[in-house]
């Protein structure tokens, strides 16, 4: 086991290149189950979640080789439709294999992902949509047993809630379905849009990409000719580094990004007093003369992302006043509060709202990562804290941040990965 040792009060400078998006790489890998041919994927982030899903696909019978730009994966050789518990429990996004496996094989068994630190995270909307497409779904001994022997049928699906992986699962199922599927209240996250573009590039007739209403004409079970894919940049990794510049009041640049994907985050930073300079593939953050408190409400894209809530809470501890944060998407996404409090933050929780006191002089402590984004908030706090902070259980961070200490060190942070 490793921990991160971070010496605080260091200014940052320079630029950092942003990796491919974990939350796009995962549905893309699942979508290779729909492909009749091997698929080259570049800009794939070297993070634990991607490795876990690749292992799952290999267990199902896929094979892949590492190439100069990324990987070349052949899932046409997949011969099993059972995604077992020991892998799915490591990464709930394995549920993204449910839609493609069922559409391709007419049956599948996928372990229920179980909850996680940020909430119960049900998949009822995924299952309801597949039933509307003609699937028979049973839950047995912690597994989703899904059957659609004649294949899935096109249907009209209205999602009760906006669900990112739910939208992705059903888009992939609909791509192979018999007939036309209309999805209403679909997620509009850039990762969902990239999946739609990939299906379109494979010849799938799909309308409404990027809107909350998508119509998709299925291939009647025929596998698709997926084309080469370049994973879009990770907007959450990008936002995390912008917050690192903000909390240390440094000027830094993030490169290889799509600024449009960070509009809500950049606007929030500007409202807090930071300067933002944008080019077509980079964003520079400039120090604030005074960090202003903020009112944040997390919501679906293009609104303020829940995956940036913890990072902004760390930043708000340094604001000139009290900030309010309203977490609207998950019921328990304040796991970082107790750890930030141990470093001197003062945060009052009431239901899904947090009141964050500003002007807090943070001090180093031994802290524990609990979930991916909460852990990145602890790094940000450590960068500005007095003394050397130790962050334990950093396997949470390795799930979604590529070369973390390498990137932070290159920006001037005093950060080391040490053995417990
Ligand atoms: C995706 O999770 C992301 N993960 C999450 O990022 C992100 O926080 C979340 O979307 C919201 O943006 C991936 O893309 C792999 P949801 P997902 O289904 O799809 C409820 C990270 O840090 N819901 O959009 O699981 C659910 O409980 C991760 O990278 C149901 O009630 O989230 C939540 O309250 C964390 N029933 C809300 O909808 C369902 O069937 C949004 O969840 C599905 C979801």
């Amino acid at each position: 086991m490793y921990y991160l040792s971070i010496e605080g009060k260091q200014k940052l400078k320079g630029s950092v290149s942003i990796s491919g998006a974990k939350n796009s790489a995962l549905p893309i890998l699942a979508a290779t189950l729909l492909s009749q041919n091997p698929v080259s994927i570049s800009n794939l982030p070297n993070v634990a979640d991607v490795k876990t899903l690749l292992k799952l696909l290999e267990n199902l019978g896929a094979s892949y080789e590492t190439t100069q730009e990324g990987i070349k994966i052949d899932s046409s050789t997949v011969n099993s439709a059972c995604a077992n518990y020991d892998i799915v429990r490591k990464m709930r996004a394995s549920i993204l294999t449910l839609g493609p496996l069922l559409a391709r094989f007419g049956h599948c068994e996928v372990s229920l992902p179980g909850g996680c630190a940020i909430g119960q995270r049900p998949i009822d909307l995924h299952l309801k949509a597949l039933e509307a497409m003609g699937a028979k779904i049973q839950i047995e001994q912690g597994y989703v047993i899904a059957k659609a022997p004649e294949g899935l049928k096109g249907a009209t699906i209205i999602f009760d809630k906006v669900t990112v992986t739910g939208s992705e699962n059903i888009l992939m199922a609909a791509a192979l379905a018999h007939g036309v599927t209309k999805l209403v209240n679909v997620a509009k996250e850039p990762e969902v849009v990239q999946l739609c573009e990939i299906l379109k590039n494979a010849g799938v007739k799909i309308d409404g990409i990027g809107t909350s209403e998508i119509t998709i004409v299925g291939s009647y079970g025929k596998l698709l000719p997926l084309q080469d894919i370049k994973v879009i940049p990770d907007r959450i990794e990008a936002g995390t580094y912008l917050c690192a510049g903000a909390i240390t009041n440094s000027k830094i640049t993030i490169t290889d990004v799509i600024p449009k994907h960070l509009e809500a985050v950049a606007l929030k930073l500007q409202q807090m007093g930071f300067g933002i300079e944008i080019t077509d593939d980079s964003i520079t953050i400039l120090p604030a003369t005074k960090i202003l408190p903020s009112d944040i409400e997390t919501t679906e894209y293009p609104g303020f992302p829940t995956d940036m809530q913890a990072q902004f809470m760390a930043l708000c501890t340094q604001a000139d006043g009290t900030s309010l944060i309203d977490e609207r998407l998950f019921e328990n996404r304040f796991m970082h509060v107790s750890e930030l409090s141990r470093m001197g933050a003062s945060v009052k929780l009431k239901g899904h709202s947090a009141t964050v006191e500003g002007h807090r002089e943070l001090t180093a402590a031994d802290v524990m990562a609990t979930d991916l984004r909460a852990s990145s908030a602890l790094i940000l706090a450590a960068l500005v804290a007095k003394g050397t902070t130790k962050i334990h259980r950093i396997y949470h961070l390795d799930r979604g941040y590529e070369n973390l200490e390498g990137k932070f060190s290159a920006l001037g942070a005093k950060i080391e990965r040490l053995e417990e």
Side-chain angles (χ1 to χ4, degrees), residues 13-330:
K13 66 181 182 338
S15 69
V16 61
S17 169
I18 297 303
S19 304
K22 162 181 87 82
N23 289 350
S24 197
L26 297 174
I28 286 171
L29 288 170
T32 64
L33 289 165
L34 306 172
S35 181
Q36 62 190 232
N37 50 270
V39 188
S40 294
I41 304 172
S42 59
N43 203 33
L44 198 66
N46 180 16
V47 294
D49 274 6
V50 166
K51 291 184 192 134
T52 302
L53 191 50
L54 281 170
K55 188 160 169 34
L56 171 55
L57 291 171
E58 276 187 309
N59 286 3
L60 295 175
S63 61
Y64 71 94
E65 56 182 358
T66 308
T67 60
Q68 193 74 34
E69 311 73 40
I71 65 164
K72 185 165 192 167
I73 178 168
D74 184 0
S75 294
S76 64
T77 53
V78 162
N79 51 23
S80 156
C82 176
N84 55 33
Y85 175 68
D86 65 341
I87 291 202
V88 175
R89 72 181 165 81
K90 283 202 199 100
M91 198 218 17
R92 53 172 296 99
S94 313
I95 197 65
L96 283 165
T97 57
L98 175 63
L101 286 173
L102 181 56
R104 174 168 166 182
F105 293 104
H107 66 89
C108 68
E109 293 178 24
V110 178
S111 166
L112 277 169
C116 75
I118 65 177
Q120 189 228 340
R121 302 189 69 186
I123 57 164
D124 56 309
L125 300 178
H126 302 232
L127 304 182
K128 216 167 107 187
L130 291 172
E131 284 175 330
M133 297 174 79
K136 292 278 171 285
I137 306 266
Q138 280 167 296
I139 307 288
E140 263 169 44
Q141 291 160 350
Y143 276 79
V144 175
I145 318 276
K147 292 191 179 81
E150 279 79 52
L152 292 169
K153 296 190 309 299
T156 295
I157 313 275
I158 302 174
F159 287 106
D160 298 344
K161 276 186 184 175
V162 173
T163 161
V164 173
T165 50
S167 300
E168 290 162 348
N169 238 333
I170 304 310
L171 281 164
M172 291 188 279
L176 256 52
H178 296 240
V180 180
T181 299
K182 181 177 174 189
L183 300 176
V184 181
N185 203 20
V186 186
K188 296 184 280 191
E189 272 66 5
E191 298 76 28
V192 178
V193 170
Q194 175 159 41
L195 178 63
C196 291
E197 300 292 358
I198 287 163
L199 296 174
K200 186 173 182 177
N201 293 345
V204 174
K205 193 168 172 351
I206 183 167
D207 292 315
I209 296 176
T211 74
S212 56
E213 213 164 286
I214 290 184
T215 305
I216 182 164
V217 181
S219 69
Y220 285 77
K222 196 168 162 306
L223 291 181
L224 306 170
L226 256 59
Q227 304 303 303
D228 293 357
I229 299 164
K230 182 180 182 197
V231 180
I232 58 172
D234 193 318
R235 60 195 168 95
I236 306 302
E237 182 198 21
T240 304
Y241 282 101
L242 286 178
C243 285
I247 203 166
T248 56
N249 225 11
S250 315
K251 174 185 177 184
I252 65 164
T253 298
I254 56 171
T255 60
D256 306 306
V257 293
I258 299 175
K260 173 135 187 63
H261 293 170
L262 283 133
E263 265 175 2
V265 170
L267 179 63
K268 201 54 82 179
L269 289 168
Q270 283 170 315
Q271 289 168 349
M272 291 181 78
F274 296 95
I276 294 279
E277 287 170 358
I278 291 178
T279 70
D280 58 359
D281 64 354
S282 75
I283 300 178
T284 298
I285 183 163
L286 303 161
T289 39
K290 192 162 69 167
I291 303 177
L292 304 175
S294 180
D295 274 6
I296 292 170
E297 182 174 312
T298 66
T299 182
E300 293 85 6
Y301 190 87
F304 186 89
T306 174
D307 291 350
M308 286 301 305
Q309 181 256 108
Q311 298 91 317
F312 269 76
M313 185 181 287
L315 177 57
C316 287
T317 65
Q318 305 304 299
D320 179 32
T322 302
S323 299
L324 291 175
I325 296 179
D326 204 357
E327 172 51 67
R328 310 293 296 169
L329 266 76
F330 290 108

